[in-house]
Amino acid sequence: MNYIWFYDYPIGRIGIVEKDFRISNIFFFCGKAPNELFKDLETELIKKTSVQLREYFEGKRAVFDVPLYITGTNFQISVMNALMDIPYGQTRTYKDIAESIGNNKACRAVGMANNRNPIAIIVPCHRVIGKNKSLTGYAGGLETKKYLLELEKEYYYNFNLNYTC
């Protein structure tokens, strides 16, 4: 069974989905849920995820520790894993991700896998930018992507205390 609950955050309404005791979807609410059957229920895991997202938006959390239900092709899963390796407050290009998974020419395929990321923010596809440092597509819209990157930039040093001035 898939359980779903919605919460309001600074970037708008977000749906959180639990499947088999793991988070399977975090999506930007645009008037409809993904094409699956859900039972409206605020489970303990959904509540925990909501609290961690709230802490993220308050600049108090850089890493999430909820179990994830990641699906897709082997390639898509490798991209999702590479996205989770991008440190808070940093960005990578599509080419960087392609190189990190050992497929230097897969930039467009990385973009498509990034586009299909079902677990927004926690699997930080917003940290992937164009090769000329431009903001490129994002399911929540470019304004949301810009907001998330600026939020992380603002709180970056809270979580990276091993820097020198």
Side-chain angles (χ1 to χ4, degrees):
M1 175 63 69
N2 293 329
Y3 301 103
I4 189 170
W5 203 256
F6 295 90
Y7 301 90
D8 293 313
Y9 295 98
I11 59 172
R13 196 159 183 82
I14 291 179
I16 302 173
V17 178
E18 176 184 332
K19 179 177 184 172
D20 296 335
F21 307 102
R22 294 176 284 167
I23 298 302
S24 64
N25 294 79
I26 293 182
F27 62 92
F28 305 100
F29 185 69
C30 303
K32 64 176 187 167
N35 295 328
E36 294 183 43
L37 296 175
F38 299 105
K39 180 177 181 180
D40 288 340
L41 181 66
E42 188 182 29
T43 67
E44 287 305 312
L45 178 57
I46 289 174
K47 283 183 199 176
K48 178 180 178 180
T49 304
S50 170
V51 167
Q52 289 189 15
L53 282 168
R54 181 112 14 243
E55 291 169 348
Y56 169 83
F57 284 110
E58 293 170 352
K60 297 175 183 173
R61 175 174 292 277
V63 177
F64 296 89
D65 65 356
V66 294
L68 302 179
Y69 187 92
I70 297 176
T71 61
T73 65
N74 289 338
F75 179 81
Q76 290 168 333
I77 292 170
S78 69
V79 170
M80 297 303 118
N81 288 326
L83 295 176
M84 289 188 285
D85 287 339
I86 304 171
Y88 179 93
Q90 296 183 28
T91 58
R92 300 291 184 269
T93 65
Y94 294 96
K95 182 176 178 138
D96 293 335
I97 300 299
E99 289 173 352
S100 77
I101 62 170
N103 196 338
N104 297 350
K105 296 185 180 186
C107 298
R108 287 183 186 211
V110 165
M112 291 305 295
N114 208 38
N115 179 273
R116 289 188 174 97
N117 173 16
I119 309 174
I121 303 171
I122 292 177
V123 177
C125 55
H126 62 277
R127 295 181 188 152
V128 182
I129 59 174
K131 67 180 176 182
N132 62 356
K133 307 294 183 201
S134 64
L135 296 185
T136 55
Y138 188 63
L142 290 182
E143 284 301 312
T144 299
K145 184 172 188 167
K146 181 179 177 184
Y147 178 92
L148 295 172
L149 292 173
E150 288 177 354
L151 173 84
E152 291 185 10
K153 184 178 178 184
E154 179 179 351
Y155 292 109
Y156 176 77
Y157 289 111
N158 290 354
F159 301 106
N160 295 280
L161 301 177
N162 296 324
Y163 68 97
T164 56
C165 296

